[in-house]
Structures are given as structure tokens and as C-alpha cells.
């Protein structure tokens, strides 16, 4: 079975969030079970120099740039570094060779031509999956991810392609919405601008297009698959999603258990495992030292790593932080994002020197050291399609305290592997934190909870098998 996996980020090449972790790990897990999965990624400036053994396999001369001039674009073949996953790179410098992130410039502003950039990626994905592909590898199915590749199923279907497609929703909050005027430049027929097409409340939505045209929709946890059919978390798409519920399923993400392994982690000097926990204590000391926290062995240390976005519930954490400090706890935060949240976090740190530490920025190594050195991990997300950090926390013996939503609900068992609360309020979070404070001094009970989490299996294999079954069901005849 051949699968083309189209995505806008993939670890270790380019990452802004969990989509990159999934795109870096799922294709490899699929290959392990015998599926020829290959990844398509834009040729951002920051990834080009990381690629090895690159060769050109196609040249495109049919595309125009956002100003309507011919656009130089070609397809390179390479591999995801450190893996055997074949990688196709859409090298179109006018669209992708920029300073800044994949979606935003260095100031954090969306690129003005994002519609054009990701329509280009989507068109190439559809082309490679359709009958007019310029390369000699034909996928049996096209797997798209989030709004950035949401138009691909539309291009595929509108050009008469019959290859089945899947779109995975990693986050319904990002919908790729652009004014209707964008349509003309994106090679979409005017007739597609309809409720039976790419139109969404008077605008164009890349994600809606994917949800409408794809053969099947998946999301990244069973609970989120239910939640997005309801007005509360459907973000305007609930009608369409509920209407397609026969073609909608939730497959829980796995985690990369080589990259996230407390017994062999290149970012740590204090390895440990469920049977030999001494290293965990050392990790906490080292983390306190690194972040300038008081070297208190018995102060419960609460970790949190998150994009600083409304979704992640940082305002709830800010509301309970004083209570944590009053009860003798410490807090270690890592994240970057909305400036107002970053500023509020800075104020908190200034108010509690030696007790609250935060690194505002992106730091892969520190994210591992926080998982390893914390006693508890805060994840009070208002919604969470899957969430990876709670699974990393479980594996690293950092007991998660989570809101019962999406993948958090599906991965943390209240009172067994962590603490789960049911209302996204500071009060409910605080009650869960108090339960953690109460249990923490009872070492055998606490250790039992840590061990229960550390021994859960969140490897990709189960998820890869679920995708395999899904793909098989969508192919005209089994391959
Ligand atoms: P989301 O995709 O919504 O951001 P996930 O929990 O699925 O949430 O995945 C987030 C991923 O990004 C995790 O691997 C997490 O460790 C990482 N991450 C988020 N913020 C940072 C940061 N500031 N520094 C390092 N890693 C981060
Ligand atoms: C998204 C979601 C997160 C999920 C990740 C990977 O960014 O916010 O919950 O884990 O995608 O699927």
C-alpha cells in the first residue's frame, strides 16, 4: 500500500507544535508495518540545508506566484533525516524560502500570501496523487493534515482524480480562512465557492474544503472526534462534521518512544526508568539548578510546556499559581506565543523569584528536562485534540493534572495515572492540584501513580495499525 502524507511541518526538520511530532513519527510507524508511506513538505529555507542526498525529480512550470507571474517550482526527493521515510520537497523559493517560521514572519505576523503558499502545496499534493503525476510513484491514497493541505482533496476531486483521500484534523481552531477574492488566484473553479464546496460563512476555508471533499476525516483522539460534532467545540464546523459522522473517526496519536525515553534521552544527564527511579530525583535537582529555582528536594515541582495560546488554559494556571507557591510548590514553565500571555507569565516570575521560573522561547532540550525533572505536569487546556505532553509526562513520571477534554480525557486516568478535572475553571483546576498536594507526601502511593503512568504503552504501533485498517477500507480493492 502506498500513502502520500502531505503536511506543513515534520520533526526533526520543522516544528511549531504537535503536528510536526505526528508527521515525523506516523509515516515511520506505517513503514514499519509494511506501508510505503512518503511525506510531502514545503521547501522552507530552514529545512533545505538539513537535507541529505537530494535530487530533483520533477519541475513544474504551470504555477503562478501571488502577483500572477510564473513561479519557479520543482520537486526534490530526499529522506526525513534519521529515518528511512522518503521525503518529497516542494522547492518553490518565492513561496517558501523566507526568514521566519512556516506561517509567520519573525515578528509573528502571518505571511500575507499564506493562501497562495498553501494552495500551491495542496495543488502539488493533488497532482502527485492524481493521474497526471509527473513522477513514477503513484500513491493509493492521499493523507492530508490540517488546513494547510486542506485544499488538496478539493483539487484532486475537482480535477476528476479518483484516488481516495483522508484529512486529519489536528486542531479545528485553525481553519485557513481567506476572503472570497482569494479564490481566483488559487486555480479553483468559481462553482466550488458554495456550501457544497470550499465556501464557509461567506469566506473561503481551506479546512472546510478538506472536510467536505476528503473521502474520510480523522482526528487525533476518539473524544475529540465526538466533541467537534457539538456546537461547543465544533467551531462552526459541527454541522458538516456531524453530517459526515459515518466518515469521521478518532485515532489517538502515539508518541515517539525513542525520542521520549527517560532511560536514554540525549537531553538528560540523569536517566531513569520505572524500576530505577533515582535518576528522576537527580533530574529535579538539575532542573532547579538550570532554572534558578530553590534547591528544595521536597517542594512539589509543577511543569508546563505549551504554545502560549488561549487553548492551553494558561490563564487558569496564572490564577492558581499563588496558591501553588503558598502550599510550598514550585513552577517551571516553557512556552512562547501570544505576547499578552508571555507578559503575564513574566510578571508571575518576578513576583516569585526562586519559586516560579519561565523560559519564554522554544527549547527542545529544556522541554525534555522539564518532563524529567517535574513532579507534576499541568495541562488545563480548554480543548485539546490529542495533546502529546501529557503522554510524555506519563512516560517521564511527571504526574499529569489535566482537564477532561479531547485526548487528555482519553490518555489520563483519574486517580490512577494522574488527576483529571471536569470544568475548565481555575477552581476545578485548583481542587485537582490540592488532591495532588495531598497525595504527594505519601511516597508509596505517589510512586504507584508514577509507575502506573510510566508503564502505559503509547507507542505508535497501535495507531499505525488503526490507520492501516482505515486506509484499507477506503481503497477500491484491498492492496
Ligand atoms: P500543540 O500541537 O497544540 O502545540 P501538543 O501537546 O500536541 O500541542 O504538542 C506540542 C509539542 O510541541 C510537544 O512536543 C511540546 O513538547 C512541544 N513544544 C511546545 N512548546 C514548546 C517550547 N516552547 N519549547 C519546546 N517544545 C515545545
Ligand atoms: C494539534 C493539537 C494537539 C495535537 C497535535 C498533534 O496541534 O493542538 O492537541 O496533539 O495537533 O495531533
Amino acid at each position: 500500500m502506498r500513502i502520500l502524507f502531505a503536511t506543513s511541518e515534520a520533526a526533526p526538520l520543522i516544528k511549531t507544535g504537535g503536528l510536526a511530532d505526528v508527521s515525523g513519527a506516523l509515516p515511520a510507524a506505517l513503514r514499519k508495518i509494511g506501508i510505503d508511506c512518503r511525506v510531502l513538505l514545503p521547501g522552507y529555507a530552514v529545512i533545505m540545508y538539513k537535507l541529505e542526498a537530494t535530487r530533483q525529480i520533477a519541475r513544474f512550470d504551470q504555477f503562478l506566484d501571488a502577483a500572477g507571474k510564473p513561479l519557479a517550482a520543482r520537486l526534490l526527493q530526499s529522506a526525513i533525516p534519521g529515518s528511512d521515510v522518503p521525503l518529497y520537497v516542494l522547492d518553490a523559493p518565492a513561496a517558501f524560502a523566507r526568514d521566519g517560521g512556516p506561517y509567520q514572519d519573525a515578528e509573528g505576523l502571518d505571511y500575507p500570501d499564506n493562501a497562495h503558499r498553501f494552495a500551491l502545496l495542496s495543488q502539488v499534493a493533488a497532482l502527485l496523487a492524481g493521474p497526471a503525476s509527473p513522477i513514477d510513484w503513484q500513491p493509493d491514497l492521499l493523507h492530508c493534515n490540517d488546513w494547510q493541505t486542506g485544499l488538496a482533496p478539493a483539487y484532486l476531486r475537482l480535477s476528476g482524480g479518483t484516488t481516495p483521500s483522508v484529512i486529519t484534523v489536528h486542531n479545528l481552531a485553525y481553519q485557513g480562512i481567506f476572503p472570497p477574492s482569494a479564490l481566483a488566484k488559487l486555480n479553483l473553479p468559481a462553482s466550488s465557492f458554495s456550501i457544497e464546496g470550499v465556501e464557509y460563512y461567506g469566506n473561503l476555508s481551506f479546512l472546510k474544503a478538506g472536510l467536505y471533499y476528503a473521502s474520510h476525516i480523522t482526528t487525533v483522539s476518539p473524544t475529540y472526534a465526538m466533541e467537534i460534532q457539538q456546537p461547543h467545540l465544533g467551531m462552526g464546523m459541527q454541522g458538516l462534521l456531524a453530517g459526515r459522522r459515518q466518515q469521521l473517526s478518532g485515532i489517538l496519536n502515539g508518541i515517539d518512544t525513542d525520542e521520549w525515553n527517560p532511560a536514554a534521552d540525549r537531553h538528560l544527564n540523569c536517566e531513569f526508568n520505572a524500576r530505577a527511579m533515582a535518576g528522576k530525583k537527580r533530574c529535579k535537582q538539575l532542573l532547579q539548578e538550570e532554572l534558578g529555582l530553590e534547591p528544595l528536594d521536597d517542594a512539589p515541582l509543577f511543569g508546563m510546556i505549551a504554545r502560549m495560546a488561549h487553548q492551553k488554559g494558561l490563564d487558569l494556571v496564572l490564577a492558581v499559581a499563588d496558591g501553588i507557591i503558598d502550599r510550598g510548590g514550585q513552577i517551571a514553565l516553557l512556552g512562547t506565543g501570544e505576547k499578552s500571555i508571555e507578559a503575564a507569565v513574566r510578571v508571575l516570575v518576578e513576583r516569585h523569584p526562586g519559586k516560579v521560573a519561565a523560559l519564554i522561547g522554544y527549547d527542545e532540550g529544556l522541554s525534555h528536562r522539564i518532563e524529567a525533572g517535574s513532579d507534576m505536569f499541568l495541562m488545563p487546556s480548554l480543548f485539546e485534540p490529542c495533546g502529546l505532553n501529557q503522554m510524555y509526562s506519563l512516560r517521564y513520571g511527571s504526574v499529569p493534572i489535566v482537564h477532561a477534554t479531547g485526548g487528555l480525557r482519553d490518555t489520563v486516568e483519574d486517580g490512577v495515572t494522574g488527576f483529571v478535572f471536569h470544568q475548565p475553571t481555575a477552581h476545578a483546576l485548583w481542587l485537582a492540584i490540592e488532591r495532588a498536594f495531598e497525595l504527594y507526601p505519601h511516597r508509596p502511593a505517589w510512586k504507584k501513580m508514577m509507575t502506573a503512568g510510566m508503564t502505559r504503552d503509547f507507542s505508535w504501533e497501535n495507531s499505525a495499525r488503526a490507520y492501516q485498517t482505515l486506509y484499507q477500507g477506503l481503497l477500491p480493492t484491498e492492496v
Side-chain angles (χ1 to χ4, degrees):
M1 194 192 301
R2 294 178 300 269
I3 306 293
L4 180 62
F5 192 89
T7 181
S8 58
E9 40 185 286
L13 288 168
I14 173 91
K15 168 166 166 176
T16 71
L19 170 60
D21 297 63
V22 174
S23 304
L26 174 58
L30 290 169
R31 291 187 74 81
K32 259 196 204 144
I33 56 171
I35 296 176
D36 182 4
C37 181
R38 304 187 179 193
V39 172
L40 170 69
L41 200 62
Y44 307 113
V46 290
I47 76 167
M48 296 306 276
Y49 72 91
K50 295 183 191 164
L51 300 175
E52 286 158 18
T54 306
R55 64 189 173 90
Q56 178 178 321
I57 54 166
R59 181 169 276 287
F60 306 109
D61 51 20
Q62 65 269 52
F63 299 118
L64 302 177
D65 67 15
K69 299 211 192 67
L71 176 99
R74 57 190 188 137
L75 195 69
L76 307 176
Q77 181 159 4
S78 182
I80 303 250
S83 80
D84 65 344
V85 179
L87 174 68
Y88 296 118
V89 177
L90 172 57
D91 180 31
F96 300 118
R98 304 194 178 169
D99 298 337
Y103 321 120
Q104 299 176 330
D105 64 19
E107 268 73 61
L109 295 174
D110 285 353
Y111 295 117
D113 57 344
N114 272 348
H116 183 268
R117 298 169 73 229
F118 292 104
L120 183 66
L121 177 65
S122 297
Q123 284 175 88
V124 169
L127 189 63
L128 298 183
S133 173
I135 66 172
D136 60 9
W137 183 82
Q138 268 281 318
D140 300 303
L141 183 143
L142 173 62
H143 189 151
C144 302
N145 295 277
D146 277 353
W147 75 265
Q148 292 88 346
T149 47
L151 279 188
Y155 287 121
L156 187 60
R157 283 269 299 283
L158 293 166
S159 66
T162 53
T163 310
S165 57
V166 169
I167 183 156
T168 296
V169 179
H170 296 265
N171 197 331
L172 203 58
Y174 302 98
Q175 304 185 336
I177 294 180
F178 301 95
S181 56
L183 197 75
K185 286 186 185 164
L186 303 183
N187 295 330
L188 284 167
S191 60
S192 67
F193 192 72
S194 115
I195 192 163
E196 310 278 302
V198 304
E199 188 265 355
Y200 179 64
Y201 294 109
N203 284 311
L204 161 66
S205 162
F206 280 37
L207 183 64
K208 148 88 201 281
L211 300 180
Y212 179 79
Y213 287 105
S215 322
H216 192 93
I217 303 163
T218 70
T219 186
V220 286
S221 67
T223 292
Y224 196 58
M226 300 305 293
E227 288 172 338
I228 57 179
Q229 298 178 46
Q230 315 288 331
H232 173 51
L233 290 180
M235 306 203 175
M237 304 281 183
Q238 62 273 11
L240 171 57
L241 289 163
R244 295 206 63 191
R245 63 185 169 277
Q246 302 300 339
Q247 296 100 39
L248 166 63
S249 44
I251 300 178
L252 192 71
N253 287 332
I255 60 171
D256 185 332
T257 48
D258 293 330
E259 184 59 26
W260 292 92
N261 178 5
D265 183 325
R266 66 199 154 99
H267 302 289
L268 304 182
N269 289 317
C270 49
E271 279 75 10
F272 60 95
N273 63 47
R275 286 173 312 282
M277 295 285 275
K280 172 100 186 155
K281 210 169 161 184
R282 180 76 189 128
C283 285
K284 180 170 175 181
Q285 288 166 350
L286 291 171
L287 181 65
Q288 286 171 324
E289 216 173 285
E290 176 174 359
L291 295 177
L293 291 167
E294 291 168 0
L296 300 173
D297 188 33
D298 54 1
L301 174 48
F302 292 75
M304 178 163 188
I305 304 161
R307 285 183 296 110
M308 291 196 175
H310 179 66
Q311 172 192 347
K312 300 295 177 180
L314 272 139
D315 46 344
L316 304 188
V317 172
L318 291 167
V320 300
D322 285 0
I324 293 179
I325 305 310
D326 286 349
R327 282 202 64 157
Q330 298 183 338
I331 304 176
L333 287 161
L334 168 63
T336 174
E338 286 168 27
K339 301 296 164 218
S340 59
I341 306 179
E342 291 183 352
V345 167
R346 284 200 180 92
V347 170
L348 179 72
V349 172
E350 274 161 27
R351 286 188 25 239
H352 298 290
K355 298 189 164 65
V356 180
L359 188 118
I360 309 287
Y362 192 89
D363 187 330
E364 192 79 35
L366 182 58
S367 74
H368 288 244
R369 293 190 292 279
I370 290 182
E371 291 290 7
S374 305
D375 297 299
M376 293 105 174
F377 195 87
L378 298 173
M379 227 161 148
S381 311
L382 307 184
F383 65 94
E384 195 62 77
C386 178
L388 298 170
N389 278 306
Q390 82 281 12
M391 292 192 267
Y392 301 152
S393 301
L394 288 167
R395 196 155 153 81
Y396 280 64
S398 175
V399 172
I401 300 174
V402 305
H403 175 216
T405 186
L408 299 175
R409 184 166 174 257
D410 293 339
T411 52
V412 181
E413 206 180 327
D414 188 48
V416 179
T417 62
F419 298 95
V420 181
F421 60 96
H422 290 268
Q423 292 300 320
T425 62
H427 180 64
L429 168 61
W430 177 248
L431 294 179
I433 289 173
E434 278 197 316
R435 290 170 61 209
F437 266 113
E438 273 150 32
L439 190 70
Y440 183 73
H442 302 280
R443 298 317 290 172
W446 188 262
K447 209 169 159 208
K448 191 171 165 212
M449 189 177 270
M450 285 166 78
T451 313
M454 291 178 80
T455 48
R456 288 282 153 102
D457 179 7
F458 292 112
S459 60
W460 268 106
E461 198 184 323
N462 294 338
S463 318
R465 298 247 176 239
Y467 281 106
Q468 181 180 40
T469 307
L470 168 72
Y471 296 153
Q472 268 161 352
L474 293 170
L475 300 186
T477 50
E478 293 207 350
V479 282

